[in-house]
Amino acid sequence: MSFQKRGFKTGGGWFDTLTRNEGAVIDAARVGFDGFTLQLVQYHEGGGGHAGTGHHRVGNVHLCVPVPDVDAKHTEIVASGRHAPTAVVTVAGGPARSFYVEDPDGVPVEFIQLKD
């Protein structure tokens, strides 16, 4: 197993051309684990308006995090008093059990326990 974290700030002509977004300045971080990389980006300049969050919005994204015990994770989050967790549900008749929380920006994050 390996874990890496690398942050960077960028902007300028090449980035304007690449993103078709003149004047953008971003901070970004990459987190990697076992061949998977997640890049998180924050626009400081040149970003559009805030995206609406929630499952009822076309094009909205969410993260899905597999956990070994969805009930234990749910109990942990409920005890924290944060993140507005939903109830744990059985997904589509039984292939998995999951629940959602909201990140600090309101983006849905799913915790899911898959059947063995």
Side-chain angles (χ1 to χ4, degrees), residues 40-108:
L40 305 171
V41 177
Q42 178 182 14
Y43 276 81
H44 294 288
E45 297 176 29
H50 289 279
T53 59
H55 287 290
H56 64 290
R57 304 231 182 235
V58 174
N60 188 61
V61 298
H62 80 275
L63 296 174
C64 182
V65 179
V67 294
D69 185 340
V70 75
D71 294 306
K73 179 55 76 177
H74 190 263
T75 298
E76 174 188 337
I77 292 174
V78 167
S80 78
R82 301 171 54 207
H83 309 296
T86 66
V88 176
V89 299
T90 300
V91 177
R97 296 180 66 238
S98 74
F99 71 97
Y100 279 89
V101 298
E102 295 177 357
D103 83 354
D105 293 320
V107 174

Side-chain angles (χ1 to χ4, degrees), residues 10-12 15-16 19-27 41-51:
T10 194
F15 193 73
D16 294 352
T19 62
R20 297 183 179 127
N21 186 17
E22 190 171 332
V25 176
I26 65 166
D27 273 324
V41 177
Q42 178 182 14
Y43 276 81
H44 294 288
E45 297 176 29
H50 289 279

